């Protein structure tokens, strides 16, 4: 199946995720990460096969992950990070925007929090440490309720 182009920022779209599929399990999502040791997941796990409505949000440059989350909470509900898998399977990369989900529920073997994202170029599913600077190009997934 060909991947779709990403919807424009602000446009509402639907995604479906099979929460019971092994590849969508939170710990399977990080099994290929290069950090040796046991990962943990501290957030909720999606059950069943929900269909949800979302939109992409740009919030400009943010100096910290905490600031990202504060800004996103004014835009809507931050979804569970497992939705990264539906994003990666559905949309082709656009070559411009890393697409993040501001759910830092993954804890690496050192005890540091990580959040899931899909990179802008290869469409690869990755996680990133929940600290540092977030440049203008980031787009964030927000649940429309």
């Amino acid at each position: 199946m060909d991947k779709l182009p990403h919807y424009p920022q602000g446009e509402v779209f639907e995604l479906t995720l099979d929460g019971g599929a092994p590849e969508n399990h939170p710990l399977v999502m990080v099994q290929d990460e290069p950090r040796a040791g046991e990962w943990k997941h501290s957030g909720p796990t999606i059950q069943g096969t929900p269909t949800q409505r979302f939109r992409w949000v740009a919030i400009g440059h943010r100096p910290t992950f905490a600031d990202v989350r504060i800004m996103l909470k004014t835009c809507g509900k931050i979804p569970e990070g497992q939705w990264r898998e539906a994003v990666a399977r559905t949309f082709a990369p656009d070559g411009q925007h890393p697409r993040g989900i501001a759910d830092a529920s993954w804890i690496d073997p050192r005890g540091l929090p990580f959040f899931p994202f899909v990179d802008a170029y290869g469409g690869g599913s990755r996680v990133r440490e929940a600290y540092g600077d977030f440049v203008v190009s980031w787009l964030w997934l927000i649940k429309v309720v």
Side-chain angles (χ1 to χ4, degrees):
M1 178 175 158
D2 290 334
K3 292 185 178 186
L4 302 171
H6 278 282
Y7 286 91
Q9 171 182 291
E11 187 173 325
V12 176
F13 58 92
E14 288 187 345
L15 288 173
T16 300
L17 180 71
D18 181 355
E23 65 271 17
N24 296 333
H25 188 277
L27 294 178
V28 172
M29 290 172 58
V30 293
Q31 72 183 4
D32 294 330
E33 288 297 319
R35 293 152 192 88
E38 184 179 339
W39 283 77
K40 294 180 176 85
H41 181 257
S42 63
T45 300
I46 295 172
Q47 304 295 318
T49 309
T51 297
Q52 298 283 327
R53 295 174 45 189
F54 299 95
R55 65 189 173 103
W56 294 111
V57 174
I59 55 172
H61 172 259
R62 297 291 158 212
T64 68
F65 190 72
D67 192 39
V68 166
R69 287 186 53 86
I70 289 166
M71 290 301 296
L72 289 176
K73 286 180 181 180
T74 69
C75 301
K77 183 170 173 32
I78 296 171
E80 300 87 349
Q82 283 172 273
W83 286 102
R84 178 196 76 179
E85 298 308 294
V87 169
R89 282 197 226 10
T90 303
F91 299 113
D94 69 358
Q96 298 176 36
H97 304 286
R99 306 221 177 215
I101 301 175
D103 172 10
S105 295
W106 283 262
I107 310 301
D108 82 346
R110 301 168 295 170
L112 299 174
F114 280 70
F115 70 92
F117 75 99
V118 177
D119 75 40
Y121 300 100
S125 295
R126 315 258 326 262
V127 291
R128 177 183 158 172
E129 291 180 16
Y131 73 85
D133 200 26
F134 294 88
V135 295
V136 172
S137 61
W138 278 87
L139 290 179
W140 300 92
L141 191 66
I142 289 294
K143 192 181 288 187
V144 176
V145 290

